[in-house]
């Protein structure tokens, strides 16, 4: 084997070790949490009242935003010796270990003259005293003092220290310096009825080795013990070391040595205590409204005195973020809202476009009808009126007619000519091709010239090149033409003018038509207006315009018609038609 082959083999072996090591790390990281061991186990997981199968997986995915998560745990069911105590903690939620609190008690029981129990006053002890170190030997004691009143018919009492609380309570209860005194009134010291039985200075052991006046009792009296303490100031204590979930133990005074009492007397019981209790059986804990995140529920066995042991079980689970709180939901919601907004906008735009198209189609239909009417008037009615005018003119020249008939035919001929002019104005107003500002200016120029020429009145026109792109409806054109015609007729009839000036200005989307003469003028305030000026005002108001009149005697008259036209504001062309 050459050197190159040896190096390749070494490299291959090295890669194999790295891969195997990586796989081992992967398995170590992803290995399921231990749901049970030989001492404790996690038995159930319930979410919102529904059981979640635990199986063999150590990590579960719960529904988002669970209202209640319940976890059942306890000792292994087939264990010959149950664990003494169990504590739990939910990593990611609980700040410290928690324990189902057990309970023991100290009480005073009163009895009557026949020895029957009348009542019992309980002083409960639950959980653990502050500073507990795992044993009563070197833990601080808590001093307590309680007052009770002797009930009616009571003749005596006895003191009981018992572990008869919840059946699964286990732990250590130590009581020292216990005494009962009777109050004797102001200024008098209390009378000690039950002294501390383990006081080295006064202790009197009984015949069975127990303190005088006290006895052990319960289903398992052996759990009631006398403890030798290392605590400063205390050397001995009554203790109950309860390690049995099916039995209890007691320390209590003997009824035959009970001091006599009377109803209404006040007794004071004082003692020092140190304890640590827990539950040893199956338990359940509920967590409400857990936030989103990763959690690990741990169950740990404790020694009888509360010291942690090695046996531990755990369960991992994830609470996913509620979908309405996730970024993708809000992105999707915003996207959907945006799409809906765009769709709604496009729909409204399409509906508006359809509406505008319908209006345009309707407008085209109206314009086609107007054009047809204008053509019919021009081609049919106009031709017939022209024919009447021609026939009247021919008949007027016949020599056989009398002068009266010839005058009548002249009148008919003039009336037909006026009718032809009126028809021309109507055709022009109806024709949709003239719905613009340029056509209006051209018609006003023609109309002014036609009206002033028969009256031998010079007409000066000051009209710029008006834009054909500014639309005007037939109603607007008709009212403006009739108003201007009325103003020119007034000049011809009443002004005695030598000249009339027509000026049209379109600037800043405003149209101004002025008819000015150099005639005799008049005082608008002193002169009674006829129907002509009132008609001018009404016509301009009907199309949203204004009408002004300026006149002085001897200085002529100026009539101004003004109308606001929406649209662009083209510049005024100073070149005018004269």
């Amino acid at each position: 084997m050459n050197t190159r082959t040896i190096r390749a083999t070494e490299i291959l072996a090295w890669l194999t070790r790295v891969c195997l090591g990586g796989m081992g790390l992967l398995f170590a990281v992803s290995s399921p949490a231990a749901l049970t061991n030989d001492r404790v186990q996690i038995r159930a997981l319930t979410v919102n009242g529904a059981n979640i199968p635990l199986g063999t997986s150590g990590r579960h995915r719960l529904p988002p935003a669970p209202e209640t998560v319940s976890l059942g745990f306890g000792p292994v069911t087939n264990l010959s010796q149950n664990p003494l105590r169990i504590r739990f903690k939910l990593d990611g939620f609980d700040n410290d270990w928690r324990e189902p609190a057990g309970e023991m008690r100290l009480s005073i029981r009163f009895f009557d003259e026949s020895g029957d129990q009348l009542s019992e006053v309980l002083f409960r002890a639950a959980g653990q005293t502050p500073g507990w170190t795992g044993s009563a030997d070197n833990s601080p004691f808590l001093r307590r003092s309680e007052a009770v009143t002797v009930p009616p018919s009571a003749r005596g009492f006895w003191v009981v220290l018992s572990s008869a609380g919840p059946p699964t309570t286990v732990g250590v209860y130590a009581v020292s310096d216990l005494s009962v005194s009777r109050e004797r009134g102001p200024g008098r010291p209390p009378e000690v009825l039950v002294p501390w039985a383990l006081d080295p200075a006064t202790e009197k052991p009984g015949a069975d080795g127990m303190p005088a006046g006290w006895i052990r009792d319960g289903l398992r009296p052996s759990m009631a013990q006398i403890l030798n303490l290392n605590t400063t100031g205390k050397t001995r204590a009554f203790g109950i070391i309860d390690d049995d979930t099916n039995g209890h133990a007691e320390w209590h005074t003997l009824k035959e040595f009970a001091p006599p009492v009377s109803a209404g007397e006040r007794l004071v019981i004082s003692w020092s205590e140190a304890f640590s209790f827990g539950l040893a059986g199956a338990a359940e804990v509920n967590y409400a409204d857990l936030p989103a995140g990763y959690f690990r529920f741990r169950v740990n066995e404790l020694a009888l005195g509360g010291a942690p042991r090695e046996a531990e079980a755990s369960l991992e689970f994830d609470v996913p973020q509620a979908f309405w709180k996730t970024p993708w939901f809000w992105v999707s919601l915003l996207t959907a809202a945006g799409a809906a907004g765009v769709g709604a906008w496009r729909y409204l735009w399409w509906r508006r476009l359809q509406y505008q198209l319908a209006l345009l189609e309707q407008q085209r239909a109206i314009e086609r009808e107007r054009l047809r009417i204008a053509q019919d008037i021009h081609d049919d009615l106009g031709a017939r009126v022209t024919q009447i005018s021609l026939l009247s003119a021919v008949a007027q020249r016949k020599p056989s007619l009398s002068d009266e008939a010839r005058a009548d035919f002249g009148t008919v001929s003039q009336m037909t000519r006026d009718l032809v002019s009126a028809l021309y104005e109507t055709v022009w107003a109806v024709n949709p091709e003239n719905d613009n500002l340029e056509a209006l200016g051209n018609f006003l120029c023609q109309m002014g010239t036609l009206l002033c020429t028969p009256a031998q009145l010079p007409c000066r026109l000051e009209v710029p090149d008006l834009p054909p792109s500014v639309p005007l409806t037939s109603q607007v054109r008709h009212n403006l033409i009739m108003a201007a015609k009325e103003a020119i007729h007034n000049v011809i009839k009443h002004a005695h003018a030598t000249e009339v000036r027509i000026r049209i200005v379109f600037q800043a989307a405003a149209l101004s038509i002025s008819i000015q003469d150099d005639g005799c003028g008049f005082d608008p305030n002193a002169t009674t207006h006829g129907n002509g000026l009132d008609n001018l005002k009404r016509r301009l108001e009907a199309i949203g315009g204004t009408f002004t009149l300026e006149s002085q005697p001897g200085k002529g008259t100026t009539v101004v018609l003004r109308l606001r036209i929406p649209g662009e504001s083209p510049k005024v062309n100073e070149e005018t038609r004269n």
Side-chain angles (χ1 to χ4, degrees):
M1 184 179 295
N2 55 27
T3 305
R4 182 176 299 177
T5 304
I6 294 175
R7 290 179 179 176
T9 304
E10 292 176 351
I11 294 174
L12 181 60
W14 178 80
L15 289 174
T16 302
R17 288 194 299 271
V18 170
C19 292
L20 291 176
M23 292 177 64
L25 179 61
L26 177 62
F27 290 142
V29 172
S30 60
S31 60
L35 298 176
T36 184
N37 54 40
D38 59 347
R39 302 286 289 173
V40 293
Q41 66 179 351
I42 298 174
R43 299 178 176 180
L45 171 63
T46 305
V47 180
N48 299 332
N51 291 325
I52 306 297
L54 296 181
T56 58
S57 174
R59 189 157 181 168
H60 297 75
R61 184 175 178 85
L62 305 189
E67 295 181 2
T68 304
V69 176
S70 301
L71 292 144
F73 57 94
V76 174
T77 54
N78 58 357
L79 188 66
S80 59
Q81 180 183 0
N82 289 339
L84 297 180
R85 294 172 62 175
I86 298 177
R87 64 176 181 173
F88 64 90
K89 180 182 180 183
L90 182 60
D91 291 338
F93 188 82
D94 292 329
N95 294 325
D96 202 353
W97 286 94
R98 298 165 57 190
E99 184 179 2
E103 179 183 306
M104 296 186 188
R105 62 192 62 176
L106 187 149
S107 63
I108 292 183
R109 299 174 184 173
F110 293 96
F111 59 88
D112 58 14
E113 190 170 355
S114 61
D116 296 334
Q117 182 173 317
L118 293 173
S119 63
E120 181 179 20
V121 181
L122 299 177
F123 305 105
R124 292 181 172 85
Q128 186 171 277
T129 51
W132 179 263
T133 61
S135 172
D137 292 345
N138 51 10
S139 296
F141 277 64
L142 180 66
R143 187 67 180 171
R144 293 183 63 178
S145 182
E146 303 286 349
V148 297
T149 301
V150 178
S153 302
R155 292 294 178 265
F157 68 90
W158 70 94
V159 182
V160 181
L161 174 63
S162 173
S163 65
T168 57
T169 297
V170 294
V172 179
Y173 191 17
V175 174
S176 179
D177 299 331
L178 186 149
S179 64
V180 181
S181 302
R182 176 166 46 203
E183 294 182 350
R184 295 193 296 180
R188 300 181 62 186
E191 177 186 1
V192 178
L193 301 180
V194 178
W196 175 226
L198 299 179
D199 187 349
T202 59
E203 181 179 0
K204 298 178 180 180
D208 55 356
M210 292 292 102
W214 288 83
I215 190 173
R216 295 188 299 181
D217 204 347
L219 295 178
R220 284 192 57 191
S222 61
M223 294 189 300
Q225 304 175 15
I226 295 177
L227 305 178
N228 295 314
L229 306 176
N230 296 323
T231 304
T232 303
K234 296 178 176 62
T235 57
R236 304 177 75 193
F238 287 137
I240 296 179
I241 303 177
D242 192 334
D243 59 357
D244 188 350
T245 58
N246 298 315
H248 76 285
E250 290 184 353
W251 280 104
H252 63 81
T253 57
L254 295 172
K255 185 180 297 186
E256 54 267 27
F257 294 110
V261 292
S262 301
E265 290 181 333
R266 284 180 57 82
L267 306 180
V268 178
I269 178 170
S270 300
W271 73 99
S272 297
E273 62 183 8
F275 54 83
S276 178
F277 311 136
L279 299 182
E284 182 178 285
V285 61
N286 298 321
Y287 292 93
D289 301 324
L290 284 178
Y294 163 78
F295 299 94
R296 183 185 181 204
F297 184 70
R298 300 165 60 193
V299 177
N300 176 228
E301 178 192 2
L302 299 176
L304 184 65
R309 288 183 172 176
E310 295 183 357
E312 181 174 315
S314 62
L315 170 67
E316 299 176 352
F317 60 87
D318 293 303
V319 176
Q321 187 75 268
F323 73 92
W324 61 86
K325 296 181 180 180
T326 56
W328 65 263
F329 171 78
W330 288 105
V331 171
S332 302
L333 182 63
L334 292 177
T335 302
V342 172
W345 177 84
R346 288 180 61 85
Y347 175 75
L348 293 176
W349 176 82
W350 178 80
R351 288 292 303 271
R352 183 178 180 183
L353 180 61
Q354 294 297 317
Y355 177 73
Q356 291 177 348
L357 290 175
L359 289 180
L360 289 176
E361 185 61 30
Q362 183 180 7
Q363 185 176 357
R364 289 195 197 97
I366 294 174
E367 289 179 354
R368 287 194 296 267
E369 185 64 18
R370 286 170 53 194
L371 183 59
R372 185 191 65 79
I373 293 173
Q375 290 174 348
D376 290 347
I377 293 174
H378 181 273
D379 297 341
D380 189 10
L381 189 58
R384 293 175 185 273
V385 173
T386 301
Q387 186 177 8
I388 292 172
S389 177
L390 292 176
L391 291 175
S392 299
V394 172
Q396 187 181 9
R397 291 195 294 270
K398 289 182 179 181
S400 59
L401 292 178
S402 63
D403 293 339
E404 184 179 358
R406 187 175 287 108
D408 290 340
F409 274 112
T411 302
V412 171
S413 180
Q414 181 62 41
M415 290 177 65
T416 54
R417 285 194 297 271
D418 293 341
L419 181 58
V420 169
S421 178
L423 286 175
Y424 174 73
E425 293 178 2
T426 302
V427 170
W428 183 88
V430 173
N431 193 342
E433 296 179 354
N434 299 321
D435 289 348
N436 60 80
L437 187 58
E438 182 185 35
L440 175 66
N442 294 335
F443 188 84
L444 287 176
C445 292
Q446 295 176 19
M447 184 184 69
T449 302
L450 290 175
L451 293 176
C452 293
T453 298
Q456 296 181 354
L457 179 65
C459 179
R460 181 181 296 274
L461 302 174
E462 297 181 6
V463 182
D465 290 332
L466 299 174
S469 60
V470 178
L472 294 176
T473 64
S474 60
Q475 179 189 7
V476 171
R477 293 188 291 109
H478 176 71
N479 282 283
L480 288 176
I481 289 170
M482 298 306 294
K485 187 175 183 180
E486 182 67 26
I488 295 173
H489 277 158
N490 288 337
V491 173
I492 296 173
K493 293 178 182 179
H494 308 293
H496 306 290
T498 61
E499 183 183 73
V500 63
R501 176 177 295 179
I502 300 175
R503 187 169 186 265
I504 302 176
V505 176
F506 178 65
Q507 188 175 21
L511 176 64
S512 175
I513 303 172
S514 64
I515 296 95
Q516 183 180 9
D517 67 77
D518 59 354
C520 59
F522 64 96
D523 186 357
N525 297 322
T527 304
T528 302
H529 297 170
N531 292 330
L533 295 180
D534 292 337
N535 288 338
L536 284 175
K537 183 178 180 181
R538 281 194 295 271
R539 288 186 181 278
L540 266 297
E541 289 178 350
I543 60 176
T546 59
F547 154 74
T548 59
L549 172 68
E550 298 177 1
S551 182
Q552 292 182 8
K555 294 186 178 180
T557 302
T558 301
V559 175
V560 181
L561 313 177
R562 292 186 177 88
L563 178 66
R564 184 77 179 177
I565 301 176
E568 298 182 356
S569 302
K571 297 181 180 179
V572 177
N573 191 342
E574 297 299 334
E575 296 181 1
T576 58
R577 302 173 188 151
N578 296 322

